[in-house]
Every structure is written in structure tokens, then in C-alpha cells.
Amino acid sequence: MCGVFGVFNNPSASKMTFLGLHALQHRGQESAGIAVSDGYDINLKLGSGLVTKAIKESDLEELRGDIAIGHVRYSTAGGSNIKNIQPFFAHFFGGSFAIAHNGNLVNARDIRYELEKNGAIFRSTSDTEVFVHLIAKSKEPPPSHIMLHKNDVEFLPLVFSAMKKVKGAYSLTILREKQLIAIRDPYGFRPLVLGKNKTGSYFVASETCAFDIVDAEYLRDIKPGEVLVIDDAGMRSYFPFEHTEKAEKCIFEFVYFARPDSLIFNDYVYGIRKEMGRQLAREYPIDADCVVPVLDSGMLAAKGYSEESGIPLEIGLIRNHYVGRSFIQPTQEIRDLSVKLKLNPVKEVIEGKRIIVIDDSIVRGTTSKKIVNMLKKAGAKEIHMLISSPPVIAPCYYGIDTPTKEELIANQMSIDEIKEFIGCDSLHYLSLEGMIEAAGKEKGFCTACFTENYPVL
Ligand code: AMP
């Protein structure tokens, strides 16, 4: 769970990156970093916490240059150690570069083991660092089907070779002294979009909400398997893999992760999330007085359910916006508390009512159990818990932070048992087919967290 950003040809590149990262803050709150190039040298600033804490205005004054990349991090591989804050920067025989990664490599441990056995020294525990080593060490010529522009003959063969060695999910921005490079893995697990503003600056970001904040227009998605280079000679695309893989876009981006004002995977998150709620209403029509969303993540599915069923939407749970997402604190005890910190029922709406509560997902079950408890205390007559995705039964190995299999409630209990555990009157999950249909089945989705069908291991 991370967000990446990049900008080319902008005199305020680091400030633009700061703004872009701020818009991507929901993708990672643990740390943030910016790397900028003035055409000769790359400088960077890294810090822990939210973007506004990690990077100060005075830092931005010092980060001068026209090309920049940035990263917001929520640790999946490697833990939350300060050494893992990205972008990573490296000098090598061909110059220097910085790299920011969203995703998760499934074979990073094996590659790292091999490299370390041969004397490589790693400075972090992050899977992203294997990219840095592979790029610096590669010796292979570029694939024979590729004709390289003269600006790309030195560095890109190293990148292609690294891409062929790693397996898994990666949406990357790479900064070189005079280039911005954007890369998406051949399955296209994580989103990555390209944009441009009126003054001719190019932008790359995990989601288009980062373009809105810098006044840039969405041009297109970076394609699965694409390596896009932007420099003074223009923009060039390469596809180092000869075969195209079946698309495996992360459906959980549409369910939960991406911001609803974003366009990703060539589609608007808002409409899809609402359609998931409509589909839920078609699959589970329930006689009730109101539909209550679990804010913010359940809002659009609840709106869709309400529109499709004709049952009024009521904001029966108020969210306190001064706390982060409820997963952010690592221990169970604090996680339990933080649900209460975040949500509080509106007695006036709840008392004596038959309520449909809608959330996007149940992971450990902590949130739903607390919510049902709160609603009961507030006097709800019936509580029907509806979830706009299927049961999460398996961990994600491609960049979404999910707990171990044992901690996933749907892996340990049947739906009936979960219903008992949560304490609601009924519990229903959107079907897998219904979810895929709502998201657009032609797109090609990774559904591993719901099905255990892992496309790459
Ligand atoms: P839980 O209490 O473990 O069942 O968590 C469910 C809540 O966490 C739901 O409200 C989801 O919106 C949210 N959620 C789902 N997946 C994630 C994730 N990977 N990271 C943080 N929050 C999540």
C-alpha cells in the first residue's frame, strides 16, 4: 500500500510532488519522500509520518530542479523501519538514480539472498531495494525486438533486465539526472496514470486525484509491461516483455483502496463503487428503514444500495476525521480502541430502526463487531450487515496490506459464524461474480484475496 508520483519539466517540481503526495496520502501514512534533479544532481528528503510532517516547506526550497519523484508508504514488505523510507537513491557506474515503488515483489527474498551471498550490502529491509541492486548489476543486452533511442542505450537495458528478474507487482517512478521513467509490471496489478498540464509539464501518479491538485489533465494509463521514458527528446514507450500477460488489475483498488474521485484502470472509482452497492441490493433485498454507510469506505456502496432499493440513506454513524484509517496502529488493543475513536452512532437516526449497515470489506472483523455493538447500544431494532465485496480469505502478495491468513476472520469462520461473532441479525457479502461484473469483467482482475487464485507466486 503505497503511492507514487513523478513530474517532468516543472520549475516547482518538488512542490508539485509534495502536493501530489498529499492527494495520495490515503495510500500510505507511514512515511513520505521526494527526490528531485536539477539536471546534474539528485537530492532527496525523506521523513516519517504524513507528508506535511515528513517534508517541511523549508525542505522544498532546498529541493531545486525540474524533475522529481515522490512516494508515500504504508509498509507491506520490509516493516516500518526508517531505513525503508522511499524513494531509494543510488550511485552506480552509469550515474545515479532514485526509485519509488508501489507493489510487492514475490521473489525479492530469493533475489536478495543470492545477491547477499555474492557480497551485496543492503541498507533496508524493503523488497524495492532489490531493484536498485539488479539495475546496478545488470549486464544483459536489451531484448532484440527493442530499438532504443540514443538517450536510453545505457540505462534502459539495465532496467529491462531487472524487470525480467523480478516477479510480482510494481508500479514505479524512476528519476535520473535528466529523465523521468514510469514502469508498470506486465500484469498491471497496481494503477499508474500519465498526465500533462497546460505549461507542458508531464506527471505520473498512482491515481488521478494527484493530477487534480496540480491542475494536470489525465492523458492515459501507463500500460501493463510498459516502460515510459520522458526527457528533453520527448516521450518514448518500450515494452520489454515479448508476451503480454493476462491482465491482473487489483480489484481491491476499486473496492476500498483508491480514492473515489480518481480514475484508475481506465475507469472512475466512484461509479464502480456505487455499482457494487447496487449489485448488493439486487443480490440481497432486505426490508429495512434505512441504509447506513460505514464512513468513508462504505459510503458509495451504501448510496448505490439505497438508490437501487429505494430505502433512504442515513448518516447514522459519524466519522471523526482527526484519526487515520483504523489499521494504522499495529496492536490489536489499539486497533479495538481506534474504531471507537473513529465512529460514533447518531442515536436519533438509529433508535428503534431496522438498519442496513454497509461497509466495503471485513478483514479481521474488529470494525464490524464494534459497529454492531455501538448500534445496539444506540437502540437499533435490527442490524443487517452488508459488505460490498466477497469474504477476504487470503493475504495479498501484491501490495495491499492484509494480515496473515490466520488473522482473516473469513478464513477461520463460516459466514454464519462471523455473523454470530459480529452479533448482527444478518450478514451478507457481495458475490464474486457480482463484484467483477460491477467493476467491468473485461478489464481482467486479480481477485486473489477473495479466491486464493494467485497469478504469480
Ligand atoms: P476489520 O476491522 O479488520 O474487519 O477491518 C475492516 C475495515 O478496514 C473496513 O472498514 C475496511 O474499509 C477497512 N480495510 C479493509 N482493508 C484494509 C486494508 N488493507 N488496510 C486498512 N483498512 C482496510
Side-chain angles (χ1 to χ4, degrees):
M1 284 166 70
C2 295
V4 296
F5 188 84
V7 48
F8 179 84
N9 188 31
N10 192 295
S12 307
S14 63
K15 289 183 181 154
M16 293 287 157
T17 306
F18 179 85
L19 291 172
L21 293 181
H22 181 65
L24 297 173
Q25 188 76 82
H26 61 290
R27 298 185 71 88
Q29 297 95 2
E30 225 173 67
S31 67
I34 295 177
V36 62
S37 170
D38 58 8
Y40 302 97
D41 286 316
I42 292 176
N43 278 302
L44 74 168
K45 171 70 195 166
L46 310 169
S48 47
L50 300 179
V51 180
T52 46
K53 176 175 170 276
I55 295 149
K56 296 271 163 276
E57 192 150 1
S58 54
D59 299 327
L60 295 174
E61 296 304 329
E62 285 164 24
L63 291 173
R64 283 191 213 102
D66 288 0
I67 326 172
I69 62 168
H71 188 266
V72 283
R73 172 175 171 81
Y74 185 83
S75 59
T76 46
S80 57
N81 198 309
I82 182 159
K83 294 189 206 99
N84 291 334
I85 302 177
Q86 297 191 30
F88 286 151
F89 170 79
H91 281 293
F92 73 122
F93 69 91
S96 55
F97 67 96
I99 184 167
H101 174 204
N102 172 210
N104 219 165
L105 306 179
V106 291
N107 62 344
R109 210 184 298 172
D110 298 342
I111 296 176
R112 186 181 176 124
Y113 177 77
E114 280 306 313
L115 288 165
E116 282 182 335
K117 226 171 58 184
N118 290 308
I121 296 166
F122 280 76
R123 51 166 282 273
S124 79
T125 54
S126 156
D127 59 338
T128 308
E129 202 178 352
V130 304
F131 266 118
V132 178
H133 279 268
L134 290 176
I135 288 173
K137 278 178 180 296
S138 292
K139 291 197 175 63
E140 285 165 43
S144 56
H145 69 282
I146 285 188
M147 286 280 293
L148 285 165
H149 184 276
K150 67 174 172 36
N151 290 359
D152 304 332
V153 288
E154 278 171 27
F155 190 64
L156 280 207
L158 311 178
V159 172
F160 297 157
S161 154
M163 287 169 74
K164 294 210 166 156
K165 292 198 179 87
V166 298
K167 285 203 278 180
Y170 51 93
S171 280
L172 303 170
T173 51
I174 297 180
L175 175 71
R176 298 226 58 213
E177 288 90 344
K178 295 180 193 324
Q179 283 182 330
L180 171 68
I181 303 170
I183 300 175
R184 210 162 149 217
D185 69 68
Y187 297 89
F189 282 105
R190 308 252 72 92
L192 194 62
V193 286
L194 173 69
K196 192 181 177 185
N197 74 3
K198 286 201 185 78
T199 58
S201 307
Y202 284 94
F203 297 86
V204 179
S206 296
E207 299 179 30
T208 60
C209 62
F211 294 165
D212 299 337
I213 198 169
V214 294
D215 229 354
E217 294 286 321
Y218 165 77
L219 292 178
R220 66 174 177 86
D221 280 23
I222 307 295
K223 298 193 182 88
E226 180 175 0
V227 176
L228 180 79
V229 184
I230 310 173
D231 63 12
D232 285 341
M235 201 156 62
R236 302 173 291 283
S237 261
Y238 299 103
F239 290 87
F241 295 94
E242 272 132 284
H243 313 287
T244 45
E245 302 288 348
K246 187 172 144 281
E248 296 284 355
K249 303 182 180 88
C250 168
I251 203 158
F252 209 69
E253 292 271 355
F254 279 139
V255 169
Y256 166 79
F257 199 31
R259 243 171 68 160
D261 52 339
S262 281
L263 190 160
I264 56 161
F265 303 145
N266 280 315
D267 224 323
Y268 293 98
V269 179
Y270 187 100
I272 288 179
R273 220 164 265 175
K274 211 163 100 173
E275 185 54 29
M276 288 172 176
R278 283 184 170 276
Q279 182 62 26
L280 200 54
R282 291 189 282 269
E283 292 183 13
Y284 301 103
I286 291 172
D287 196 16
D289 300 312
C290 59
V291 178
V292 172
V294 176
L295 297 177
D296 293 325
S297 54
M299 181 61 208
L300 293 173
K303 175 117 177 69
Y305 191 100
S306 165
E307 284 179 10
E308 185 72 22
S309 64
I311 302 171
L313 181 81
E314 291 286 358
I315 308 301
L317 287 162
I318 298 298
R319 168 148 183 213
N320 182 330
H321 281 273
Y322 303 97
V323 286
R325 290 186 165 191
S326 54
F327 267 46
I328 235 65
Q329 297 90 351
T331 67
Q332 189 64 32
E333 193 188 354
I334 306 214
R335 210 178 281 122
D336 283 354
L337 250 182
S338 68
V339 178
K340 272 199 211 151
L341 290 175
K342 199 157 96 172
L343 292 165
N344 196 39
V346 184
K347 209 164 177 196
E348 189 188 348
V349 173
I350 306 296
E351 202 162 21
K353 302 277 175 42
R354 298 166 303 157
I355 294 162
I356 296 173
V357 184
I358 301 202
D359 202 355
D360 68 284
S361 56
I362 296 180
V363 181
R364 295 179 175 91
T366 318
T367 310
S368 310
K369 191 177 167 72
K370 296 274 163 199
I371 287 170
V372 169
N373 236 325
M374 280 177 192
L375 295 174
K376 275 186 182 163
K377 275 198 195 145
K381 198 162 126 202
E382 284 174 29
I383 303 168
H384 304 277
M385 190 85 207
L386 267 67
I387 305 298
S388 60
S389 65
V392 176
I393 55 163
C396 175
Y397 300 135
Y398 312 118
I400 295 278
D401 175 56
T402 34
T404 60
K405 225 170 157 170
E406 293 67 37
E407 290 170 281
L408 293 168
I409 193 164
N411 192 274
Q412 303 294 315
M413 294 185 195
S414 68
I415 295 182
D416 243 16
E417 287 166 339
I418 301 173
K419 188 201 97 181
E420 291 303 315
F421 172 80
I422 288 173
C424 52
D425 296 282
S426 76
L427 168 68
H428 302 286
Y429 288 89
L430 182 62
S431 67
L432 182 69
E433 302 70 37
M435 174 183 68
I436 294 173
E437 189 73 44
K441 60 172 173 259
E442 68 294 340
K443 290 191 184 74
F445 286 113
C446 172
T447 57
C449 55
F450 305 114
T451 57
E452 283 197 284
N453 292 333
Y454 292 106
V456 203
L457 277 175

